[in-house]
Amino acid sequence: MEMYLPILFVVSLLFSYSHSSVLDFCVADLSMPDGPAGYSCKKPANVTVNDFVYSALAITGNTSNFIKAAVTPAFADQFPGVNGLGLSMARIDLAVDGVVPIHTHPGGSEILFVVEGTICAGFISSSANTVYFRTLYKGDVMVFPQGLLHFQFNSGNTSALAIVGFNSPSPGVQITDFALFGNNLPSALVEKVTFLDHAQVKKLKAVFGGTG
Amino acid sequence: MEMYLPILFVVSLLFSYSHSSVLDFCVADLSMPDGPAGYSCKKPANVTVNDFVYSALAITGNTSNFIKAAVTPAFADQFPGVNGLGLSMARIDLAVDGVVPIHTHPGGSEILFVVEGTICAGFISSSANTVYFRTLYKGDVMVFPQGLLHFQFNSGNTSALAIVGFNSPSPGVQITDFALFGNNLPSALVEKVTFLDHAQVKKLKAVFGGTG
Amino acid sequence: MEMYLPILFVVSLLFSYSHSSVLDFCVADLSMPDGPAGYSCKKPANVTVNDFVYSALAITGNTSNFIKAAVTPAFADQFPGVNGLGLSMARIDLAVDGVVPIHTHPGGSEILFVVEGTICAGFISSSANTVYFRTLYKGDVMVFPQGLLHFQFNSGNTSALAIVGFNSPSPGVQITDFALFGNNLPSALVEKVTFLDHAQVKKLKAVFGGTG
Amino acid sequence: MEMYLPILFVVSLLFSYSHSSVLDFCVADLSMPDGPAGYSCKKPANVTVNDFVYSALAITGNTSNFIKAAVTPAFADQFPGVNGLGLSMARIDLAVDGVVPIHTHPGGSEILFVVEGTICAGFISSSANTVYFRTLYKGDVMVFPQGLLHFQFNSGNTSALAIVGFNSPSPGVQITDFALFGNNLPSALVEKVTFLDHAQVKKLKAVFGGTG
Amino acid sequence: MEMYLPILFVVSLLFSYSHSSVLDFCVADLSMPDGPAGYSCKKPANVTVNDFVYSALAITGNTSNFIKAAVTPAFADQFPGVNGLGLSMARIDLAVDGVVPIHTHPGGSEILFVVEGTICAGFISSSANTVYFRTLYKGDVMVFPQGLLHFQFNSGNTSALAIVGFNSPSPGVQITDFALFGNNLPSALVEKVTFLDHAQVKKLKAVFGGTG
Amino acid sequence: MEMYLPILFVVSLLFSYSHSSVLDFCVADLSMPDGPAGYSCKKPANVTVNDFVYSALAITGNTSNFIKAAVTPAFADQFPGVNGLGLSMARIDLAVDGVVPIHTHPGGSEILFVVEGTICAGFISSSANTVYFRTLYKGDVMVFPQGLLHFQFNSGNTSALAIVGFNSPSPGVQITDFALFGNNLPSALVEKVTFLDHAQVKKLKAVFGGTG
């Protein structure tokens, strides 16, 4: 059987790198600084299958809140295994009347699968300012192009669940209301760049926890 | 109210392109030739919300077959709305004992969400030839890096369903058995490049419909 | 002198393509359908230097409007020479009190140079919802990351001019007000996904020309 | 008002990363080693609006020199805020008779806006060795495709100023004369690979400070 | 001659970065952790021409083995100079009857040049499961698209040599036999996902050094 | 055996696209217009293995010329099979004293393998204007980063042959002498942007066939 040994030698030339090569994957080492392409890689010797599995999306999001909705992300910051792989996921739970307010993902496109319930979803194009929205039923898939304003809300009589995929490990999310009313952007400035009335801005600043 | 008209004029400078701009999305026009970056775009004027919605994943795949499994893709060829958006989806149905045979996606990484059932899934790294596999339960997410051999099979007592996302509208799929035994690649050649025995090759050629 | 001829022959092997090669540039042929990577290329034989020059940014934008501002783009749809080159430009004219309302560019980052005047500009991060804004003076440069909400307004006593660069020939622009109030997105739906009051939505629908 | 608190909780699930996420931007930490995609990111907590603003382009370049020109870059090395954003800027000052000698940007395409004065600019294609050049006036925009030899010179009677954008934070610049005559590349070797005469090479070596 | 000094000053504005800029190249510092885009860069001051030259491909691979073949890679792990440059090389030595078993490169396409000898090479498409194979003679070039199963074997009477290029510094290589039979993937699992017979799996596990 | 038929049905769901999918490769259809990402794809049904093989590099280039060298490219325009695959090749023949004059590849990095002979090769960095050059012997590999000026010449006593790979199907080539002296760029303009003497420019215009 020693005639078979040489192949191992040959193959080992290809595989036995003297350095910690991670050409296949790059599990994020969150203790290192981030870079433009993502986090540095955990040493392959320390990587286990559990680095590639994430279980937090198994838990129904808590929708006992104002929007009656919850979004649970599995982005690189939560799930280091997606770092460098160019994708990520999230789950969206919508109680009856629940809504994911209008928002964008600055870093990626989104594809949504309705696991259960009925969801009305839509987006607005930038080129022609056209609105595309429709009711989705269990099993329907819908896409939302990168960076465009979009929304989802429960348009049925039961709670709804959707699983969404992104083509980035860190697609980001910018909820318009939160960006305008949930920080210290001065009210006068909000009004100037949105044309919203003062009272409206103040009211939503109170709702979303903003100051100024 | 005419004081408001000018803004429309300004905005229209930005939006009223004289040409059929599709900077936001590029729904595939499957009647045109493909290109390295995907299909040409359908004229935006002809695009409706239905171009961004796909309903075939709502249907349970027919698992009354040899592998007791079915994979239903929503790639650009089936779902033109993902063209140019950098992502796609598929559903995997696994009857009890069902298996998606070992395969690769040459054009993209994969992220899997277990909708129901229990699935054993794994992949093999190229750099170190390490096997990463584990049992996944409802709600678990697992990633499979681009181009690496991987598999999924039902390891529970009930049927299983998974939704998978890809970071390409055309990730492709190459099932190793089908590539080796399901075409006219001569048996002698298969044996030469795989070290499989002649009888084994002939047997699987019969199973997978290959000739030669 | 015939000793020199051979080099021409050698070089011509490299240059005299029998097909219309356009490896250097790809001036958009706007009569052809768009694709995910941009427009098809005009035949090189028909390209002249004028395809690479655009003069419309020489003209001061008309700011006699509601926002007292004008944005003049030199994107691929207006300036076909940028197609395939990965960049574009625009000029921003701001009369006193002029404002470019809060907006995003879904397809690219932006870099701004103040040619004259005083501009207050800012953006809001998605990761931490932090506001970054500041007064810019003549000669200052500021960057706005891809897809993030940002704004610019004249904070001085004279008109202002800025030149902005993008890292895409088609960065797009989505003005939040226009997306929410300038199309047929039903008012009830706007209210549901923005938490704005009904009266506010109706008022801005009137301003921005929306219906529904 | 406590009914509003839950939304903050929901949103915080999305935003309150336990790790230093910088999905929106990646201000260069120049104290860390560079990588293929750029510098590592400064910790977001230490980032201020001033990291996104650069003021050195406000200063007229000193053209009291041999070429009567000055180029002032705002690349990642000078302006860390552009790191990871895919773009950068520079200003070009040209006194009367000033010239930016023929050069390339190995890492990016360029788009030029004439702020004031009259500039003759051009580039040479590689595919067909065609020259594209023209006189540009105030407000004209011209593009120079990545990696191609190009030049700009003042063809008017007054000083000129141009602002240029690049689709890379580190486009680089390789001035042909400087590459050939401004280092220790041996004269004999320069002559061999350029077919320039010995005397010419020696003369320009003296001008550009080269040795050998 | 001092009239020439100013140009050096001007140029130095462009070149004399105060930080260790490596916009041209990024020789891998293998002592630092890898990242999604490759290794961190060695300080330019420590880089010499020898970092860009690799001599191990000058040595004929040892084909005194089971497959009568040897593959010698010049990937980033062996040749740090290719890091960040988007390419790499390898040499393939095939003794008479030598074979490179069926395999994929998950991270890049391959282009092969036959330096000497006669080689039969082929690949299998994923879209249509079509086999493309042919005999190649000295000087022939063949391409193998990213991620697709392919093979090469000596179909002549003399030893053969091929040089292959990749469009990635770390294209990886996954030899199907080695992935299935050369690690601890349990035999029962191999059988389940390949439909190979138990005896065949055990036999090849012995050949390729696998356990389980 | 009919129990095996279902798998074919399942697999055919994945493979039997109703449209001409070419996710694996995109052999250039040179009769169609080019696009920013390359040429449109030939219909897969018309593709044969010969589309992936190119034989012109088997022929020794004719070095009976002024530079005693010949470069034979296998770029997308000559070898349509590389279109969309991200790579290409070329062969360089150098007679004794042969030289490939200083040039750049605007669209790709280069990796060179010395098949026979002795070659002196080098490149000049842009960041620090550093020269990296060395003598290469049979079997040596050297890389030349994208867009940087580089050269190769025969420094031995026998003819030399090199095979070079690129990470682009259309890397382009811009020979500095040819760009400056081989077209209709006016001599006065050449002198202005290069600081070369009038007589030198006229002399080389005659050599390289330029006018003006």
Side-chain angles (χ1 to χ4, degrees), chain E residues 54-65:
Chain E
Y54 188 62
S55 295
L57 299 203
I59 303 161
T60 301
N62 181 356
T63 59
S64 304
N65 54 41

PDB file of all heavy atoms in Angstrom, chain E residues 54-65:
ATOM      1  N   TYR E  54       9.711  34.531  -7.922  1.00  0.00           N
ATOM      2  CA  TYR E  54       9.572  33.239  -7.249  1.00  0.00           C
ATOM      3  C   TYR E  54      10.241  32.189  -8.121  1.00  0.00           C
ATOM      4  O   TYR E  54       9.992  32.145  -9.327  1.00  0.00           O
ATOM      5  CB  TYR E  54       8.086  32.916  -7.073  1.00  0.00           C
ATOM      6  CG  TYR E  54       7.781  31.704  -6.231  1.00  0.00           C
ATOM      7  CD1 TYR E  54       8.155  31.662  -4.886  1.00  0.00           C
ATOM      8  CD2 TYR E  54       7.100  30.610  -6.761  1.00  0.00           C
ATOM      9  CE1 TYR E  54       7.849  30.555  -4.103  1.00  0.00           C
ATOM     10  CE2 TYR E  54       6.791  29.505  -5.975  1.00  0.00           C
ATOM     11  CZ  TYR E  54       7.168  29.484  -4.642  1.00  0.00           C
ATOM     12  OH  TYR E  54       6.866  28.386  -3.869  1.00  0.00           O
ATOM     13  N   SER E  55      11.084  31.377  -7.523  1.00  0.00           N
ATOM     14  CA  SER E  55      11.901  30.465  -8.329  1.00  0.00           C
ATOM     15  C   SER E  55      11.527  28.998  -8.187  1.00  0.00           C
ATOM     16  O   SER E  55      12.081  28.148  -8.897  1.00  0.00           O
ATOM     17  CB  SER E  55      13.383  30.653  -7.975  1.00  0.00           C
ATOM     18  OG  SER E  55      13.800  31.958  -8.337  1.00  0.00           O
ATOM     19  N   ALA E  56      10.576  28.681  -7.328  1.00  0.00           N
ATOM     20  CA  ALA E  56      10.282  27.262  -7.098  1.00  0.00           C
ATOM     21  C   ALA E  56       9.636  26.588  -8.305  1.00  0.00           C
ATOM     22  O   ALA E  56       9.678  25.361  -8.428  1.00  0.00           O
ATOM     23  CB  ALA E  56       9.381  27.102  -5.870  1.00  0.00           C
ATOM     24  N   LEU E  57       9.065  27.354  -9.207  1.00  0.00           N
ATOM     25  CA  LEU E  57       8.458  26.716 -10.380  1.00  0.00           C
ATOM     26  C   LEU E  57       9.527  26.285 -11.393  1.00  0.00           C
ATOM     27  O   LEU E  57       9.204  25.663 -12.406  1.00  0.00           O
ATOM     28  CB  LEU E  57       7.438  27.640 -11.051  1.00  0.00           C
ATOM     29  CG  LEU E  57       6.231  28.098 -10.248  1.00  0.00           C
ATOM     30  CD1 LEU E  57       5.088  28.510 -11.167  1.00  0.00           C
ATOM     31  CD2 LEU E  57       5.751  27.052  -9.267  1.00  0.00           C
ATOM     32  N   ALA E  58      10.773  26.618 -11.117  1.00  0.00           N
ATOM     33  CA  ALA E  58      11.855  26.189 -12.013  1.00  0.00           C
ATOM     34  C   ALA E  58      12.173  24.707 -11.833  1.00  0.00           C
ATOM     35  O   ALA E  58      12.806  24.086 -12.694  1.00  0.00           O
ATOM     36  CB  ALA E  58      13.107  27.029 -11.739  1.00  0.00           C
ATOM     37  N   ILE E  59      11.717  24.165 -10.715  1.00  0.00           N
ATOM     38  CA  ILE E  59      12.064  22.783 -10.382  1.00  0.00           C
ATOM     39  C   ILE E  59      10.981  21.825 -10.864  1.00  0.00           C
ATOM     40  O   ILE E  59       9.805  22.000 -10.559  1.00  0.00           O
ATOM     41  CB  ILE E  59      12.230  22.644  -8.850  1.00  0.00           C
ATOM     42  CG1 ILE E  59      13.295  23.645  -8.366  1.00  0.00           C
ATOM     43  CG2 ILE E  59      12.584  21.211  -8.476  1.00  0.00           C
ATOM     44  CD1 ILE E  59      13.226  23.924  -6.881  1.00  0.00           C
ATOM     45  N   THR E  60      11.400  20.810 -11.609  1.00  0.00           N
ATOM     46  CA  THR E  60      10.461  19.796 -12.081  1.00  0.00           C
ATOM     47  C   THR E  60       9.839  19.091 -10.878  1.00  0.00           C
ATOM     48  O   THR E  60      10.551  18.663  -9.962  1.00  0.00           O
ATOM     49  CB  THR E  60      11.195  18.767 -12.958  1.00  0.00           C
ATOM     50  OG1 THR E  60      11.787  19.466 -14.059  1.00  0.00           O
ATOM     51  CG2 THR E  60      10.237  17.718 -13.485  1.00  0.00           C
ATOM     52  N   GLY E  61       8.541  18.999 -10.861  1.00  0.00           N
ATOM     53  CA  GLY E  61       7.855  18.329  -9.758  1.00  0.00           C
ATOM     54  C   GLY E  61       8.185  16.838  -9.747  1.00  0.00           C
ATOM     55  O   GLY E  61       8.443  16.236 -10.790  1.00  0.00           O
ATOM     56  N   ASN E  62       8.127  16.273  -8.562  1.00  0.00           N
ATOM     57  CA  ASN E  62       8.436  14.853  -8.410  1.00  0.00           C
ATOM     58  C   ASN E  62       7.205  14.020  -8.767  1.00  0.00           C
ATOM     59  O   ASN E  62       6.219  13.995  -8.028  1.00  0.00           O
ATOM     60  CB  ASN E  62       8.868  14.583  -6.975  1.00  0.00           C
ATOM     61  CG  ASN E  62       9.232  13.121  -6.771  1.00  0.00           C
ATOM     62  OD1 ASN E  62       9.094  12.290  -7.680  1.00  0.00           O
ATOM     63  ND2 ASN E  62       9.707  12.793  -5.573  1.00  0.00           N
ATOM     64  N   THR E  63       7.268  13.332  -9.881  1.00  0.00           N
ATOM     65  CA  THR E  63       6.110  12.557 -10.343  1.00  0.00           C
ATOM     66  C   THR E  63       6.238  11.071 -10.039  1.00  0.00           C
ATOM     67  O   THR E  63       5.497  10.258 -10.580  1.00  0.00           O
ATOM     68  CB  THR E  63       5.915  12.741 -11.860  1.00  0.00           C
ATOM     69  OG1 THR E  63       7.104  12.317 -12.524  1.00  0.00           O
ATOM     70  CG2 THR E  63       5.629  14.194 -12.210  1.00  0.00           C
ATOM     71  N   SER E  64       7.179  10.734  -9.170  1.00  0.00           N
ATOM     72  CA  SER E  64       7.337   9.322  -8.778  1.00  0.00           C
ATOM     73  C   SER E  64       6.294   8.987  -7.732  1.00  0.00           C
ATOM     74  O   SER E  64       6.616   8.730  -6.571  1.00  0.00           O
ATOM     75  CB  SER E  64       8.747   9.091  -8.220  1.00  0.00           C
ATOM     76  OG  SER E  64       9.720   9.484  -9.156  1.00  0.00           O
ATOM     77  N   ASN E  65       5.055   9.030  -8.124  1.00  0.00           N
ATOM     78  CA  ASN E  65       3.999   8.780  -7.160  1.00  0.00           C
ATOM     79  C   ASN E  65       2.813   8.102  -7.849  1.00  0.00           C
ATOM     80  O   ASN E  65       2.865   7.814  -9.042  1.00  0.00           O
ATOM     81  CB  ASN E  65       3.567  10.094  -6.487  1.00  0.00           C
ATOM     82  CG  ASN E  65       3.178  11.144  -7.523  1.00  0.00           C
ATOM     83  OD1 ASN E  65       2.527  10.829  -8.512  1.00  0.00           O
ATOM     84  ND2 ASN E  65       3.578  12.369  -7.290  1.00  0.00           N
TER      85      ASN E  65
END
